[in-house]
């Protein structure tokens, strides 16, 4: 063999077969070998110079060792972690394999462990050849992750944008940058600056300044992206959680199109369309096409930028195919509105050069039959790897605006900022049915999916592999509906199949079509080989309660798997696709790959109809060996999907940084060159999200890996998905639950470092101080985050735990809390009289003086003294301890005593109506008076528990961290209720929802739980047949307290209120932020949450929490009271009740 030869293909021998990779030349040298590509010599983009051509560069930079072993890190601190003795060969090396499967064991590099480095925010990176010898801080700015140092450009940028963006919306402190820099991916980059923009106009002014100073910009919406595309260590521009900004919309006509801004959540858009149909009595319900499982959390900006799809939308209903128009801001500040002829004409005139380059690119591709064919084939299945090259073949070159419009879709913020989009919506047919069909082997399930795709008009087919089914066994409803799940075979799988129809006849026809196709396939059905069953065993469920069980489990699969992972590891989610007829083989290859690499918890499931799999597994980055395992697995996975099965490395989650090194593997050199060209046409200076989609660093996917320190059992399972954020009342003010957990973990990591450096010590001190307010004080701790958390983490419990630890260090405070608890009757009396005095002061001094004095006291006392507002309640009237007994209190037909145990909460015993409430005598009564009136009209005898005047559920103590006092008061009340209800024989009503929730949570005897009711629930279940209802209001608003939402009684609110008013408008506020008295002590918290309250046109508002009602009134301009006020006004006793 000659010492130098040209080869047409770089090859590696695997299992006795030859695998082709890339055209290159091999040049003999000392190890490592260098692969020199055929695409030119050294070149640089984005400020980085590399050797070789792109192919050669990819292969040569693939090496993952280190020039020398060692380093100064110890795994806890920051620095190098020990690795291999020398760099691995750039050429993929043969590796041994016992698998007979073709391609098994395909390896890149060798078995040497890489050197890794931990940066100042804990992110772990493989150290490549270019960086291995670097010591200390980077001195010169390079537009590459980790090397964007301040050389004056950031200061100049801040100075200019400060002319129109106030400093209050610019964040450079260690808490906000770390928190806002957190997204759902497994990467960690810490922005130098976070800017909250409020309008398109601000973006128009900001981008040219960034271009002028060479400051890279990344736009962020909800941060639910999984591939690292919403991260930066430069400037993060945030349009989420900016109040009402970027949340405008216009529904057009019958709802068949809708214009929305990027800050709206996808699920919100569908609710807007549903409300439009209902309000206008329209025949067809519409929705947006994309339906990702995160639709109730992700925002339009991310849906558009990632070209997200989902379980039912497939390819045909993604944003690319349902887009009507958009507004996009380019890097020079130019706005193109594709719906406006004038804007289109102006852009064609002002950007002739850009347009000409796009047209030239399209013409070259359209005349290249081989490349055009490749593009069409790639986008026939789900594909979000690289740019939307299909735009260059789908539209004629004489209409370049249409091409540009589609190129923006899926570009992940690297070509422009989308400030508005108009969707052509799709029908949401009302008739649906779902079936959960078991198969003995995953291969059978995949083949059945192909049968359904090519032979039926089925709407959705989701696959559950054996690992997914294992998680389903913990769901009682699933096992009830599909008993075969329990104990199914080791390779069993299932398909969740959904059909839809405009009419019931259409639905029945589709179901029959599916049954016929599956029966004709001769595939086996059942839980395991040898236990085959008839297809009819797995019937279609028309009852949507049953279907919802199936789909809720499917939506929860990713977090269920992620939540079960080992502490200290992260949940990783890959997203691959292939032609459906190749799904079976690809799935088996991937299962085998995971087994060989030691990923015992890996699960392969997803959108089988589209050949789209989600690969979920846990991964630690705690040691170089763990990083090496991940790197090797990724190399092989990409080979299996892209090379062997001609699939998409990203079906719907976007390329990001995660798949940027593999774009050429999937697309080939020619298409990849065109993508680089496309990027430079729109953003030649690499200002817009550089390093995303296209990246010169073949190791970028194993750099800046996010650690997951095991900081607390309460939150270790957090997968940082961000689903919780939309329920958080402080999301626009300080931090969200995800961000609170992320910062808490970082503080824990810093505390865990032995021998901290001065820089680490300073950062820890600053973060801890800022976190006191941002993380702890402004957390409502209401637990609404748990309602949307897929792994059911209650961040409020973490904050309460932190508060409790703080109280443990303040024994005097604990003693005061115990004294108050032991003398609660006197405390309640004192507060009642104090409210009376404040009401007098309101009359004498006037609202302005009272607000000024209380505001000053609030600041001076460090938020211990509440800040007064005009809706602050007066003192409650004394409780009638001897309410009149009805004429009879026995059910006539059953002889059951009509008796109720009534627990007026301390808040309703202390707080009456507000002075500013409607002045009628009825409205000036207290809550307990209204509820006693309702009980009397319904013929109920009222019993009070013993010691009522000193009773308390314990919430006021628990929320402040006084656990002991809370438990004491809770136990006292429970014992009194047990006696009063005769061990739960009689129903117990607590008139304040949050207090009832606290009582239930603290019960020692669970049997009492089934006797406890809040007032609305009691009215619905016990009084509807005993009272005569009349509609006495035209339009009213209702706010269901967060505690009632958690107890699942929202429907009861709607039903009862709808019996009293013609129109009932929900507040759509997850939590008002009042949190007992926290909203009075931190009024900015309720102000932030309730800025989204929209009750226009309503005459009154109702709820079941006195403190919440106070805040709702203050921020809505209408009077909120207890719902019992409305019920009392709207009802009278039925004539037959007392006979």
């Amino acid at each position: 063999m000659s010492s130098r030869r040209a080869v047409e293909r770089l090859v590696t021998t695997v299992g006795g077969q030859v695998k082709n990779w890339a055209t290159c030349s091999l040049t003999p040298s000392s190890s490592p070998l260098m692969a020199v590509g055929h695409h030119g010599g050294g070149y640089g983009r984005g400020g980085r110079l590399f050797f070789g051509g792109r192919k050669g560069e990819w292969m040569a930079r693939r090496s993952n060792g280190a020039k020398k072993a060692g380093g100064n890190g110890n795994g806890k601190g920051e620095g190098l972690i020990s690795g291999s003795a020398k760099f691995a060969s750039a050429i993929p090396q043969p590796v041994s394999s016992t698998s007979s499967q073709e391609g098994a064991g395909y390896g890149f590099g060798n078995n040497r462990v890489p050197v890794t480095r931990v940066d100042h925010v804990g992110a772990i990176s493989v150290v490549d050849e270019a960086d291995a010898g670097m010591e200390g801080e980077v001195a010169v700015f390079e537009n590459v992750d980790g090397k964007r140092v301040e050389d004056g450009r950031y200061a100049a940028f801040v100075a200019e944008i400060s002319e129109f963006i106030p400093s209050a919306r610019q964040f450079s402190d260690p808490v906000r940058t770390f928190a806002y820099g957190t997204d759902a991916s497994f990467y960690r980059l810490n922005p130098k600056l976070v800017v909250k923009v409020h309008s398109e106009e601000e973006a128009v002014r900001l981008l040219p300044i960034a271009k002028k100073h060479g400051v890279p910009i990344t736009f962020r919406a909800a941060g639910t992206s999984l591939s690292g595309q919403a991260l930066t260590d430069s400037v993060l521009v945030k349009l989420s959680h900016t109040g009402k900004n970027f949340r405008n919309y216009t529904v057009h006509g019958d709802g068949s199109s809708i214009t929305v801004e990027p800050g709206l959540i996808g699920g919100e858009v569908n609710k807007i369309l549903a409300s439009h149909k209902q309000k206008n009595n329209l025949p067809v319900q519409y929705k947006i096409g994309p339906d990702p499982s995160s639709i109730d959390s992700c925002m339009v900006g991310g849906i558009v930028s990632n070209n997200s799809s989902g379980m039912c939308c497939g390819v045909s209903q993604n944003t690319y195919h349902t887009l009507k128009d958009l507004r996009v801001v380019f890097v020079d500040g130019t706005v193109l509105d594709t719906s406006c002829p004038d804007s289109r004409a102006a852009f064609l005139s002002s950007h002739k050069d850009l347009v000409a380059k796009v047209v030239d690119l399209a013409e070259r591709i359209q005349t290249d039959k081989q490349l055009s064919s490749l593009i069409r084939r790639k986008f026939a299945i789900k594909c979000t790897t690289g740019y939307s090259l299909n735009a260059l073949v789908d539209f004629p070159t004489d209409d370049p605006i249409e091409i540009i419009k589609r190129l923006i879709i899926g570009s992940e913020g690297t070509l422009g900022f989308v400030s508005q989009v108009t969707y052509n919506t799709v029908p949401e047919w009302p008739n649906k049915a779902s079936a959960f069909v078991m198969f003995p082997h995953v291969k059978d399930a995949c083949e059945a999916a192909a049968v359904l795709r090519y032979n039926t008009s089925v709407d959705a087919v989701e696959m559950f592999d054996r690992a997914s089914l294992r998680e389903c066994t913990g769901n009682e409803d699933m096992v009830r509906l599909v008993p075969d799940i329990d104990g199914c075979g080791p390779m069993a799988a299932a398909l969740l199949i959904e059909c839809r129809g405009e009419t019931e006849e259409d639905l029945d026809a589709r179901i029959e079509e599916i049954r016929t196709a599956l029966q004709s396939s001769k595939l086996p059905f059942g839980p395991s080989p040898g236990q085959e069953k008839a297809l009819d065993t797995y019937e279609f469920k028309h009852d949507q309660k049953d279907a919802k069980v199936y789909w809720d489990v499917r939506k929860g699969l990713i977090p269920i798997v992620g939540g079960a992972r080992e502490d200290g590891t992260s949940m990783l989610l890959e997203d691959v696709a292939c032609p459906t007829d190749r799904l079976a083989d690809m799935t088996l290859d991937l299962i085998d790959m995971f087994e060989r690499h030691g990923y015992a918890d890996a699960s392969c499931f997803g959108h089988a109809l589209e050949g789209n799999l989600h690969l979920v597994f846990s991964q630690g980055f705690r040691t170089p060996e763990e990083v090496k395992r991940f790197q090797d697995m990724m190399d092989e996975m990409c080979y299996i999907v892209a090379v062997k099965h001609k699939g998409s490395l990203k079906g719907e989650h976007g390329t990001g940084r995660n798949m940027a090194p593999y774009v050429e593997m999937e697309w080939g050199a020619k298409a990849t060159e065109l993508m680089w060209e496309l990027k430079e046409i729109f953003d030649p200076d690499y200002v817009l999200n550089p390093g995303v989609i296209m990246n010169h660093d073949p190791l970028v996917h194993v750099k800046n890996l996010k650690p997951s320190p095991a900081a607390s059992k309460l939150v270790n399972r957090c997968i940082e998905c961000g689903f919780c954020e939309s329920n958080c009342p402080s999301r626009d003010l300080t931090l969200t639950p995800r961000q609170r957990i992320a910062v808490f973990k970082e503080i824990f990591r810093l505390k865990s470092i032995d021998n901290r450096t001065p820089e680490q010590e300073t950062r820890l001190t600053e973060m801890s101080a800022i976190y006191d307010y941002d993380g702890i004080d402004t957390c409502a701790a209401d637990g609404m985050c748990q309602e949307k958390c897929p792994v059911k983490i209650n961040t409020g419990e973490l904050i309460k735990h932190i508060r409790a630890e703080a109280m443990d260090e303040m024994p005097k405070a604990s003693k005061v809390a115990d004294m108050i608890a032991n003398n609660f009757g006197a405390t309640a009396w004192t507060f009642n009289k104090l409210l009376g005095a404040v009401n007098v002061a309101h009359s004498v001094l006037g609202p302005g003086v009272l607000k000024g004095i209380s505001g000053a006291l609030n600041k001076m006392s460090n938020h211990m003294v509440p800040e007064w507002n005009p809706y602050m309640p007066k003192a409650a009237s004394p409780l009638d301890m001897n309410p009149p007994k009805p004429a009879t209190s026995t059910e006539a037909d059953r002889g059951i005593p009509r008796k109720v145990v009534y627990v007026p909460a301390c808040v309703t015993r202390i707080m009456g109506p507000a002075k500013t409430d409607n002045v009628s005598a009825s409205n000036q009564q207290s809550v307990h008076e209204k509820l006693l009136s309702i009980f009397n009209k319904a013929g109920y005898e009222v019993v009070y528990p013993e010691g009522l005047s000193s009773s308390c559920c314990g919430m006021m103590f628990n929320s402040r961290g006084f656990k002991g006092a809370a438990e004491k008061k809770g136990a006292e009340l429970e014992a009194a209720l047990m006696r009063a209800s005769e061990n739960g024989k009689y129903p117990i009503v607590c008139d304040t929802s949050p207090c009832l929730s606290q009582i239930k949570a603290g019960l020692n005897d669970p049997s009492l739980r089934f006797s406890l009711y809040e007032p609305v629930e009691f009215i619905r279940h016990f009084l509807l047949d005993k009272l005569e209802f009349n509609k006495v209001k035209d339009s009213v608003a209702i706010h269901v307290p967060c505690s009632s939402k958690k107890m699942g009684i929202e429907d009861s609110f709607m039903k009862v209120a709808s019996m009293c008013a013609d129109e009932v408008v929900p507040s759509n506020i997850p939590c008002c932020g009042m949190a007992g008295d926290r909203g009075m002590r931190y009024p900015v918290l309720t102000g932030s949450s309730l800025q989204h309250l929209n009750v226009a046109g309503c005459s009154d508002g109702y709820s079941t929490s006195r403190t919440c009602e106070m805040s709702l009134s203050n921020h809505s301009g209408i009077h909120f009271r207890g719902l019992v006020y409305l019920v009392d006004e709207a009802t009278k006793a039925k004539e037959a009740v007392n006979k």
Side-chain angles (χ1 to χ4, degrees), residues 551-572:
W551 287 102
D552 282 352
V553 169
R554 167 58 189 91
K555 291 177 181 178
L557 273 182
I558 292 173
I560 287 172
V561 175
R565 71 191 190 279
E566 176 190 349
D567 285 351
T569 62
S570 299
M571 186 205 77
L572 271 59

Side-chain angles (χ1 to χ4, degrees), residues 141 148 154 190-194 214-217 232-236:
F141 179 93
R148 299 184 178 100
Y154 289 99
N190 204 61
K192 291 176 177 57
L193 176 70
V194 179
V215 171
I217 296 292
T232 182
D233 58 4
S234 184
V235 174
L236 186 72

